[in-house]
Amino acid sequence: MEILWVLMALAMFSLVLLPVFRRRRAGIQLVAPSDPDAADPANYGFLRQEELDIRMPGPDHDLLDVLDLVQRTQDYRAASQLLAGTETDGERRWQRVQAFAGAASLELQQRPGGVSETPGGQWLRVWRAEQPKDAGGAAVHAEFLVQQAWRTSTPGTDEFRIIMEEAKAACGEAALLSPGDPVPYIIELSVARGLAYPEPEFEQLWLKILDRAPAHMGAHLAALHYWCEKWHGSREVAYSFAEAAAARAPQGSLLAAMPLFAVFEHLPEVNLVRSFYQSEVVTKAVHGALHAVHAARPDDPMLAHVRHLLILFLVRGERWSEAMNQLVHVDGHVGALPWTLTPDPAADYAIYRALAVAGYEANGGSPATLSH
């Protein structure tokens, strides 16, 4: 089975083409797509790689409709109305703010503007100019600045610091416009990581979020980054933070999956050892996440995030059937960890999906035996 992991690593790092596999009693081997034994994800109703939506982890039809309208017409008003009708303390508002800010940031990257060209994301500038007291617009603008900092500059540079300081001020303005809304403070968590807030200052910010939305999964994931070893904490501190969140998770909360995200944040750069993904720490975190998924509301906006991360760990642990059970729930949308960390999220997701299909069929599975 070691050859499987070598092949997977080569495919992941090259991202040149999608592996297609066939069943063999001795293992799983690469074959040509035309081979009659090739495992075909389409047999399970999965979308083709080029049809996968990389904008979001799961469906939000209202958001997608509004995004399409805003980008087509460059009129912000539909976005303003959607956010005004979205509850302030839920996960969905945070995701929608991120989506609008990300759309504006990507537009600007694609069309920076010039003498005869209007820069991309102009609708957000008009939104802020025409509706300066709109809390939704203020939050989107703050998140836009954060994404611009990470996207266009390098942490530690003057340019990065200047943009982040502007984002911090924008967070404060957004918070004043909507006092009970945790989103401006969640946005500031990324500012805190980028500007290296001292721990006491970070803790004060975190308490403001807990006062408003103590079980907010998106907030916990943003805070986890600060406590990670690669930023301002350590593996032990990050694990402790995640485990404490899981321990106090209300019934049905996806916070029980936090330890899996902590494990993911501290994965080695390259790890082809199958036994690691079957180790006690990983197995415990995976079981916690599976339990959280089983207990969560079907419409929980964070459910797809957990399912996507589970796919990575279940495939690497050769838990093929369980991986397939997650795939049938999320296929079509791939805008989530771990795929978004790669240059081509759809290709990376498709590789893992192909591995899951191949492993599932190599152990006797078929479309007829997969529960939907």
Side-chain angles (χ1 to χ4, degrees):
M1 292 302 295
E2 295 301 321
I3 185 64
L4 169 62
W5 302 107
V6 174
L7 291 172
M8 185 181 75
L10 291 173
M12 286 176 61
F13 293 126
S14 65
L15 294 176
V16 172
L17 49 82
L18 174 65
V20 183
F21 302 88
R22 68 178 172 190
R23 292 183 293 152
R24 284 288 182 86
R25 182 171 299 177
I28 301 171
Q29 297 181 350
L30 279 168
V31 298
S34 58
D35 191 292
D37 288 334
D40 187 358
N43 292 337
Y44 297 84
F46 296 148
L47 294 183
R48 294 162 58 90
Q49 178 181 324
E50 58 268 26
E51 297 173 330
L52 296 170
D53 191 327
I54 65 172
R55 295 174 294 179
M56 299 171 56
D60 183 342
H61 300 298
D62 290 341
L63 172 61
L64 291 178
D65 289 344
V66 170
L67 263 177
D68 290 340
L69 178 62
V70 168
Q71 294 189 301
R72 186 175 67 254
T73 65
Q74 291 294 295
D75 188 332
Y76 68 87
R77 286 175 292 182
S80 176
Q81 292 170 1
L82 182 65
L83 286 181
T86 306
E87 60 181 5
T88 58
D89 60 348
E91 305 281 353
R92 198 172 299 281
R93 181 177 178 83
W94 168 227
Q95 291 191 5
R96 288 174 171 177
V97 166
Q98 285 184 300
F100 287 128
S105 181
L106 285 173
E107 279 187 35
L108 182 59
Q109 182 182 37
Q110 294 164 359
R111 300 194 314 275
V115 176
S116 59
E117 182 185 38
T118 300
Q122 182 67 18
W123 53 269
L124 178 55
R125 297 180 183 84
V126 174
W127 187 358
R128 293 298 295 132
E130 293 185 353
Q131 301 289 339
K133 301 300 182 182
D134 186 332
V140 172
H141 179 238
E143 174 65 16
F144 167 81
L145 290 171
V146 167
Q147 293 195 27
Q148 281 295 100
W150 292 109
R151 192 187 304 274
T152 65
S153 54
T154 303
T157 63
D158 288 342
E159 180 185 9
F160 181 84
R161 181 184 56 77
I162 290 170
I163 300 174
M164 277 298 190
E165 290 288 359
E166 186 179 356
K168 182 178 181 179
C171 288
E173 182 178 352
L176 288 174
L177 291 172
S178 184
D181 188 353
V183 168
Y185 300 103
I186 299 173
I187 297 170
E188 193 178 347
L189 290 173
S190 187
V191 176
R193 176 163 55 97
L195 294 181
Y197 280 21
E199 288 187 17
E201 185 177 357
F202 183 87
E203 291 285 6
Q204 290 178 4
L205 173 61
W206 182 238
L207 287 175
K208 292 177 182 178
I209 295 170
L210 293 182
D211 285 343
R212 291 163 175 79
H216 199 290
M217 179 76 170
H220 280 78
L221 291 177
L224 177 64
H225 291 155
Y226 177 92
W227 294 118
C228 285
E229 187 174 63
K230 58 189 173 186
W231 287 104
H232 310 297
S234 66
R235 179 190 302 264
E236 292 73 24
V237 171
Y239 278 23
S240 177
F241 174 81
E243 289 165 2
R248 65 172 182 270
Q251 178 65 31
S253 169
L254 287 165
L255 286 177
M258 283 296 298
L260 187 66
F261 286 86
V263 171
F264 174 73
E265 290 293 338
H266 293 87
L267 287 177
E269 290 294 328
V270 178
N271 192 321
L272 303 179
V273 181
R274 181 184 60 190
S275 60
F276 172 79
Y277 295 97
Q278 298 172 345
S279 64
E280 182 179 355
V281 64
V282 173
T283 298
K284 182 180 177 182
V286 167
H287 285 171
L290 287 170
H291 174 75
V293 164
H294 179 74
R297 301 189 328 271
D299 63 344
D300 191 315
M302 294 302 295
L303 186 54
H305 285 272
V306 181
R307 290 191 188 278
H308 278 290
L309 193 61
L310 271 168
I311 290 167
L312 178 141
F313 282 93
L314 292 171
V315 167
R316 290 191 178 184
E318 297 187 7
R319 298 168 64 165
W320 312 116
S321 179
E322 291 169 294
M324 292 294 287
N325 286 333
Q326 301 305 317
L327 282 164
V328 298
H329 286 95
V330 301
D331 194 74
H333 298 272
V334 297
L337 291 175
W339 328 120
T340 51
L341 296 180
T342 67
D344 190 341
D348 201 48
Y349 167 84
I351 289 169
Y352 275 84
R353 185 178 64 184
L355 284 167
V357 170
Y360 183 64
E361 293 188 356
N363 286 276
S366 70
T369 61
L370 182 62
S371 300
H372 287 75

